[in-house]
């Protein structure tokens, strides 16, 4: 009897009652019967799964969507049952999913986002077989939102945008139905055209559409003006899954199918020496840039077909450097020390490969870039200048003598890696003061020119500089007195005085004994884009300025909606790098229609997204409209800057200026506060006039009570607020509040017509008595 008594006492505890009710399938458990709400929640989950597939190129939806539908149907028909065996199976399945997740996590430490997304999908499928209650549906809504967030972090294209809009369009009616379900009121009905009844029990599509457009418009506006603060504060960067490579990697070989001999479709990619590298005429592949090799032949002809090759997320716009050349061959370039390549390995527990930085002085800034390869590339790793950390999927990479990064494998589609570079600022004043005493290793490799053209090119270069200096002396202005200014002027001169042929194949091939630079300067008066950079490099060498040819990608087309630079194969080109003692190498671009110096880090880039967004918009506008808007915005910002500068100048004019500034600031603040208050009141009155009568009366009640210091919390329902009013108000006031809230809920959610005249009269009497 004693044991039986103990069992009965436990059975009467709250947890015992809960178990007894659920084991018996008691109707006291709150069950969600609305099919519409369940369908919308299921749609949200499916959209989240599909969004993850689109963004990450996975195939979760092939098995997850059918199982989610099956689970939702099962849970609806079994919503009033205890489902004890199913709960045990779900618990076991969740433990199995968690174990599988930890197993995948150990092998995918490079990027855990997709592993987490798969775990959430598995848990949601298991959960879908037992979600009879409203809060269970809320859990599924949150899962759909998290999956959409994961897809947003992985997405690199605008293909994610339509899914986001679909999710928002489904989420709005879902939230409305879920809120009504929590209030325990009748389901929504579809509006009947014959009915003139205007109440909230009818599904208001106009309201949903207006809110959808408002949210999208507001979101785009906030995104456009959102400051772009430096990202990547955590040192865990996106990297592809590990790639196993052979231990015999030396880094000397460059694999590039960009060279094609005499129209043949077979490229020589293993030796690192392109076909025709000794001067034989031929054509280049129309998909690959010919310059990514240890030896390039600029006597080739051809034109690439544009295609996207990679997407870059970077803290700053820059030149994605690939490799550089030190020896000029007369018709092209080569890396003379291609055999002197050093390899660098990463530890087994990390994806980080540390690289030594060259010695340079001056300011610099850390810039993080993440590259995702879209189309196959050579085994050369693009990166901004001076990479110091490389997060790469292979255990080893190589660095050549020109600071180019090389991979053991070709960069295949889908490969992702991250580079952290220490990019120096380009200080024109400091570089202008740089020494002209060069180290021996610089003079030995970066002043080389074929002897046949040395004197002729040097005379032409000195003639150009002398003519400029004579004009400056005649105008009593500063002459070119530094290597930096000489390099800058020569790049500008070549850009303005030589042309690119309109026909891509119109320039004749060079003969066996003809030099490219000589033909460019004295015969053709121009050439192809990369020829401009070759000519500048050789001209600088002819007057004793060390330089080399560097090849890589321009920043590409910035997408303001994804925040990524979309880089095409046609963005690849070569330009000139010049050496300045103590400061290192800096690039100059003599190619027409290119900026004179490549984009790099700037002092202020907080609102760079807004600036680039405006540049993108301005590209679609007619020139007169763009000019007018630039003038208008420039005038507004100029006036604001002058006003701020004048105000701050008051504080430097002694005590009288300080007092004047304080009085002006206080007066401005007072009138601003007064105007803000009046504007808020005007908005409230305007808003109340637009509301239905019952809604207006209810909102006026809330405003009046908020002024008394007893406002309604946003999380409270009207009936909850009315119930709590008895603790803070006199009985008569609390009774009127409850009556008004009941009338409001009956009208808002039940479609019943309230007695507005009687309620208004009662509130008027209450307000008079309160005064």
């Amino acid at each position: 009897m004693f044991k039986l008594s103990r069992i009965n006492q436990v059975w009467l505890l709250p947890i015992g009652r809960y178990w007894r009710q659920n084991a018996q399938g008691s109707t006291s458990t709150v069950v969600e019967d609305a099919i519409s709400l369940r369908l919308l929640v299921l749609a949200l989950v499916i959209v989240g799964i599909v969004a993850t597939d689109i963004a990450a190129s996975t195939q979760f939806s092939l098995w997850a969507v059918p199982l989610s539908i099956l689970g939702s149907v099962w849970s609806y028909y079994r919503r009033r049952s205890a489902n004890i065996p199913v709960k045990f199976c779900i618990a076991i399945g969740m433990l199995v999913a968690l174990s599988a997740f930890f197993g995948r996590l150990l092998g995918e430490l490079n990027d855990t986002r997709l592993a987490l997304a798969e775990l959430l999908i598995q848990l949601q499928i298991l959960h879908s077989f037992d979600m009879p209650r409203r809060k269970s549906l809320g859990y599924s809504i949150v899962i759909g939102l998290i999956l959409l967030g994961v897809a947003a972090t992985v997405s690199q294209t605008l293909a994610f945008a339509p899914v986001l809009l679909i999710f928002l369009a489904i989420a709005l009616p879902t939230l409305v139905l879920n809120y009504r379900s929590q209030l325990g009121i009748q389901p929504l009905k579809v509006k009947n055209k014959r009915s003139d009844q205007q109440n909230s029990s009818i599904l208001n599509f106009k309201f949903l559409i207006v809110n959808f457009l408002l949210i999208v418009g507001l979101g785009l506006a906030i995104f456009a003006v959102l400051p772009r603060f430096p990202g990547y504060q955590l040192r865990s960067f996106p990297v592809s899954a590990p790639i196993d490579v052979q231990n015999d990697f030396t880094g000397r070989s460059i694999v590039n199918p960009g060279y094609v001999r005499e129209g043949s479709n077979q490229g020589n990619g293993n030796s690192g020496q392109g076909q025709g590298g000794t001067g034989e005429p031929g054509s280049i592949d129309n998909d690959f840039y010919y310059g990514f090799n240890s030896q390039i032949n600029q006597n080739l002809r051809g034109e690439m077909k544009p295609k996207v090759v990679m997407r870059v997320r970077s803290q700053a716009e820059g030149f994605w450097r690939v490799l550089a050349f030190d020896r000029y061959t007369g018709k092209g370039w080569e890396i003379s020390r291609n055999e002197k390549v050093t390899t660098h390995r990463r530890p087994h527990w990390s994806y980080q490969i540390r690289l030594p930085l060259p010695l340079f002085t001056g300011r610099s800034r850390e810039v993080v870039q993440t590259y995702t390869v879209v189309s196959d590339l050579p085994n050369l790793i693009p990166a901004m200048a001076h990479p110091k950390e490389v997060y790469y999927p292979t255990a080893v990479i190589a660095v050549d003598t020109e600071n180019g990064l090389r991979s053991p494998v070709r960069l295949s589609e889908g490969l992702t890696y991250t580079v952290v570079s220490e990019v120096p600022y380009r200080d024109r004043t400091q570089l202008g003061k740089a020494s002209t005493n060069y180290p021996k290793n610089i003079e030995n490799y970066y002043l080389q020119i074929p002897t046949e053209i040395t004197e002729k090119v040097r005379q032409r270069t000195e003639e150009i500089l002398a003519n400029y200096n004579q004009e400056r002396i005649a105008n009593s202005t500063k002459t070119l007195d530094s290597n930096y200014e000489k390099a800058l002027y020569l790049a500008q001169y070549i850009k303005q005085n030589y042309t690119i042929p309109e026909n891509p194949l119109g320039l004749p091939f060079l003969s066996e004994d003809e030099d490219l630079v000589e033909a460019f300067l004295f015969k053709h008066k121009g050439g192809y884009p990369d020829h401009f950079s070759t000519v500048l490099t050789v001209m600088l060498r002819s007057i004793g300025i060390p330089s080399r040819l560097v090849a890589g990608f321009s920043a590409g087309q910035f997408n303001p909606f994804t925040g990524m630079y979309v880089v095409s194969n046609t963005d690849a080109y070569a330009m000139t790098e010049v050496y300045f003692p103590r400061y290192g190498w800096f690039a100059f671009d003599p190619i027409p229609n290119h900026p004179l110096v490549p984009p790099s880090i700037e002092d202020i880039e907080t609102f760079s997204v807004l600036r680039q967004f405006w540049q993108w918009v301005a590209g679609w506008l007619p020139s007169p409209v763009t000019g007018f808007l630039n003038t208008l915005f420039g005038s507004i910002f100029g006036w604001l800057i002058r006003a701020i500068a004048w105000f701050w100048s008051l504080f430097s004019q002694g005590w009288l200026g300080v007092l004047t500034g304080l009085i002006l600031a206080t007066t401005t603040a007072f009138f601003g506060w007064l105007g803000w208050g009046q504007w808020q009141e005007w908005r409230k009155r305007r808003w109340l006039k637009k509301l239905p009568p019952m809604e207006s009366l209810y909102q006026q009640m809330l405003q009046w009570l908020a002024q008394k210091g007893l406002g309604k919390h946003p999380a409270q329902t009207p009936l909850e607020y009315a119930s709590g009013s008895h603790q803070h108000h006199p009985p008569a006031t609390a009774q009127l509040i409850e009556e008004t809230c009941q009338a409001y809920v009956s009208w808002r959610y039940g479609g019943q017509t309230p007695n507005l005249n009687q309620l208004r009269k009662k509130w008027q009497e209450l307000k008079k008595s309160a005064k």
Side-chain angles (χ1 to χ4, degrees):
M1 289 294 293
F2 176 76
K3 291 183 178 181
L4 184 60
S5 175
R6 285 292 184 185
I7 293 174
N8 289 335
Q9 289 178 9
V10 172
W11 195 249
L12 293 175
L13 289 174
I15 189 172
R17 290 196 300 270
Y18 174 81
W19 173 265
R20 187 170 65 255
Q21 289 173 357
N22 284 276
Q24 296 172 356
S26 173
T27 58
S28 62
T29 301
V30 180
V31 175
E32 180 56 61
D33 292 316
I35 298 178
S36 56
L37 178 56
R38 287 176 173 269
L39 289 176
L40 287 173
V41 171
L42 175 63
L44 281 182
V45 173
I46 292 175
V47 170
I49 297 171
V50 172
T52 306
D53 279 353
I54 293 175
S57 300
T58 55
Q59 297 180 344
F60 295 148
S61 57
L62 295 180
W63 54 270
V65 172
L67 289 177
S68 296
I69 296 173
L70 179 63
S72 298
V73 174
W74 163 269
S75 64
Y76 177 75
Y77 284 105
R78 300 284 298 176
R79 64 188 184 280
R80 297 192 181 279
S81 302
N83 298 324
I84 301 300
V86 175
K87 285 181 168 63
F88 275 107
C89 293
I90 290 173
I92 295 171
M94 287 184 173
L95 291 174
V96 172
L98 189 62
S99 301
F101 165 72
F102 283 117
R104 287 193 304 273
L105 199 62
L106 295 176
E108 300 179 8
L109 291 175
N110 53 301
D111 193 349
T112 60
R113 292 174 294 180
L114 293 181
L116 287 169
E118 187 171 4
L119 174 64
L120 286 174
I121 292 172
Q122 292 169 350
L123 296 180
Q124 164 58 30
I125 291 172
L126 293 169
H127 169 73
S128 66
F129 281 88
D130 184 45
M131 52 177 195
R133 292 174 293 174
R134 296 166 187 156
K135 63 182 180 181
S136 301
L137 293 175
Y139 172 83
S140 298
I141 294 173
V142 173
I143 289 294
L145 182 61
I146 294 174
L147 290 175
L148 193 78
V150 172
T153 63
V154 177
S155 176
Q156 297 181 353
T157 67
L158 284 178
F160 173 73
V163 183
L164 178 62
L165 295 177
I166 293 172
F167 187 90
L168 178 60
I170 299 173
L172 288 176
T174 304
L175 294 176
V176 172
L177 292 179
N178 188 52
Y179 182 67
R180 293 176 62 88
S181 177
Q182 292 178 6
L183 291 175
I185 55 181
Q186 62 181 358
L188 284 170
K189 299 179 293 185
V190 179
K191 184 176 181 179
N192 189 348
K193 293 183 178 180
R194 299 179 181 179
S195 174
D196 296 330
Q197 186 180 9
Q198 298 293 330
N199 59 62
S200 56
S201 64
I202 296 175
L203 192 60
N204 193 338
F205 287 105
K206 181 180 178 181
F207 171 80
L208 295 176
I209 292 173
V210 170
N211 276 273
F212 174 81
L213 297 176
L214 181 63
I215 292 171
V216 172
L218 187 62
L220 291 175
I222 293 175
F223 175 82
V225 302
L226 194 66
R228 188 183 185 187
F229 297 107
Y232 296 108
Q233 299 303 316
L234 299 176
R235 307 303 286 189
S236 178
F237 301 121
V239 186
S240 293
I243 301 175
D244 293 329
V245 296
Q246 301 297 328
N247 294 325
D248 58 351
F249 171 67
T250 62
R252 299 170 185 170
S253 176
I254 297 177
V255 183
N256 184 358
Y259 278 101
V260 181
R261 179 169 181 162
E262 297 179 356
S264 170
N265 290 328
Q266 299 297 324
N268 182 356
N270 294 326
S271 66
Q273 297 179 358
Q275 297 282 3
T278 59
E280 306 167 18
S283 62
I284 59 176
D285 189 275
N286 57 9
D287 288 328
F288 295 88
Y289 177 62
Y290 77 105
F292 296 153
N293 217 314
S294 60
Q295 183 179 11
I296 63 172
N297 176 16
Q298 293 184 308
N299 197 26
L300 301 177
R301 301 292 183 265
E303 185 178 17
M304 287 187 294
K305 294 180 180 179
K307 70 173 182 178
V308 177
V309 293
M310 63 182 182
R311 299 188 184 93
V312 184
R313 187 184 302 280
S314 175
Q315 291 177 303
E317 183 180 4
F319 179 74
W320 321 126
R321 191 180 187 275
V322 176
L323 79 172
F325 305 90
D326 62 331
R327 179 183 293 168
Y328 175 59
T329 62
K331 293 181 177 61
W333 292 84
E334 65 181 10
I335 302 174
S336 64
R337 295 167 288 174
N338 190 58
E339 301 300 317
K340 296 181 179 180
V341 178
T342 57
T343 57
H344 298 265
R345 291 185 174 273
R346 61 172 171 82
H348 297 292
W349 61 85
S350 173
Y351 285 86
Q352 181 192 68
I353 302 176
R354 289 187 174 274
L355 303 178
L357 282 174
L359 296 176
F360 62 88
T361 59
R363 290 193 308 146
S364 62
R365 201 186 90 186
E366 183 181 273
V367 178
V368 182
Q369 320 114 61
T370 296
Y371 300 80
T372 299
V373 179
V374 177
S375 179
D376 290 351
L377 291 172
N379 65 319
L380 300 170
I381 305 174
M384 287 187 75
H386 303 316
K388 63 178 183 180
E389 298 174 22
V390 179
Y391 296 79
Y392 202 72
T394 61
V396 60
I397 64 171
V399 182
D400 62 27
T401 54
E402 310 302 329
N403 294 322
L405 308 181
R406 302 185 182 183
S407 168
V409 295
R410 286 182 59 181
L411 276 62
S412 57
E413 180 181 354
L415 184 141
T416 298
Y417 66 94
T418 299
V419 179
V420 182
S421 301
E422 193 66 31
V423 182
Y425 283 88
R426 193 185 191 104
D427 191 321
R428 184 172 180 175
T429 303
Q430 288 185 345
L431 295 177
K433 298 177 181 178
S435 171
T436 56
N437 297 322
Y438 302 107
K440 284 297 181 182
N441 65 319
I442 296 294
E443 291 182 344
N444 291 341
Y445 293 102
Y446 304 107
L447 292 177
Q448 169 267 335
I449 311 176
T451 55
E452 297 81 7
I453 65 168
T454 301
E455 188 62 25
K456 196 171 184 180
V457 174
R458 183 183 62 79
Q459 290 180 359
R460 177 59 179 148
T461 304
E462 291 180 344
E463 178 186 349
I464 294 171
L465 296 176
N467 291 337
Y468 177 81
N469 285 333
Q470 289 176 4
E471 293 179 3
R472 289 284 178 166
I473 293 172
N475 296 328
S476 301
T477 54
K478 187 177 180 181
T479 59
L480 300 173
D481 55 357
S482 70
N483 286 349
Y484 183 87
E485 297 301 329
K486 290 177 183 178
L488 201 65
Y489 176 71
L490 285 174
Q492 185 68 34
Y493 181 89
I494 296 173
K495 186 191 298 284
Q496 294 177 347
N497 292 275
Y498 296 89
T499 59
I500 300 174
E502 295 182 1
N503 182 4
L505 300 177
L507 197 69
F509 287 102
L510 300 173
S511 61
E512 188 67 28
D513 59 348
E514 198 171 10
D515 184 271
L516 185 149
V517 174
E518 185 179 18
F520 183 99
L521 290 174
F522 306 107
K523 182 179 179 181
H524 302 304
K525 301 296 181 181
Y528 294 125
D530 286 357
H531 295 176
F532 284 74
S533 302
T534 293
V535 170
L536 175 62
T537 305
V538 174
M539 290 178 75
L540 290 171
R541 288 185 173 190
S542 71
I543 58 174
I545 301 177
S547 54
R548 64 187 179 188
L549 192 79
V550 60
F553 294 96
S554 66
Q557 185 69 33
F558 181 76
N559 189 326
F561 298 101
T562 62
M564 306 194 77
Y565 296 92
V566 181
V567 183
S568 300
N569 56 348
T570 52
D571 291 320
Y573 68 100
M575 58 181 175
T576 302
E577 278 188 341
V578 180
Y579 180 78
F580 298 93
R582 295 180 57 218
Y583 299 104
W585 295 90
F586 287 86
F588 297 82
D589 192 342
I591 301 174
N593 300 320
H594 283 204
L596 192 58
V597 295
S600 186
I601 55 174
E602 300 175 2
D603 286 322
I604 300 175
E605 293 185 336
T606 305
F607 291 95
S608 59
V609 169
L610 180 59
R611 183 183 70 249
Q612 291 168 329
F613 184 79
W614 164 244
Q615 292 173 352
W616 178 78
V617 172
W620 295 88
L621 298 176
S623 298
V625 176
T626 304
F628 170 75
L629 293 177
N630 284 330
T631 304
L632 177 62
F633 293 144
S635 301
I636 293 174
F637 284 113
W639 181 85
L640 287 175
I641 292 172
R642 287 193 296 271
I644 294 172
W646 173 80
F647 175 75
W648 283 113
S649 67
L650 292 175
F651 292 90
S652 62
Q653 298 177 7
W655 288 106
L656 182 60
V658 172
L659 290 175
T660 303
L662 292 175
I663 292 172
L664 183 61
T666 305
T667 305
T668 304
F670 170 73
F671 281 107
W673 170 80
L674 192 63
W676 174 260
Q678 293 297 321
W679 183 68
Q680 290 284 80
E681 288 295 326
W682 176 80
R683 283 189 60 203
K684 286 180 182 179
R685 291 194 298 268
R686 187 167 176 267
W687 174 61
L688 289 172
K689 288 181 180 178
K690 291 183 176 181
L691 296 176
M694 185 65 236
E695 177 81 17
S696 177
L697 179 63
Y698 173 72
Q699 293 296 338
Q700 289 179 48
M701 177 196 75
L702 294 181
Q703 291 178 11
W704 184 75
L705 293 172
Q707 292 174 359
K708 301 295 183 182
L710 297 168
K712 174 182 171 296
H713 192 278
Q716 286 181 304
T717 65
L719 298 181
E720 289 174 344
Y721 178 66
S723 177
S725 65
H726 290 277
Q727 302 176 9
H728 306 288
H729 296 282
T733 304
Q735 181 64 32
L736 182 56
I737 293 172
E738 185 172 1
E739 185 179 347
T740 305
C741 289
Q742 287 283 2
Y744 171 73
V745 171
S746 299
W747 167 82
R748 185 79 173 83
Y749 303 106
Q752 300 179 13
T753 303
N755 191 343
L756 285 171
N757 293 330
Q758 183 180 359
L759 287 173
R760 285 198 186 101
K761 186 177 180 181
K762 289 182 178 181
W763 276 107
Q764 289 172 359
E765 293 175 354
L766 178 63
K767 291 177 181 179
K768 287 180 181 179
S769 63
K771 291 181 179 179

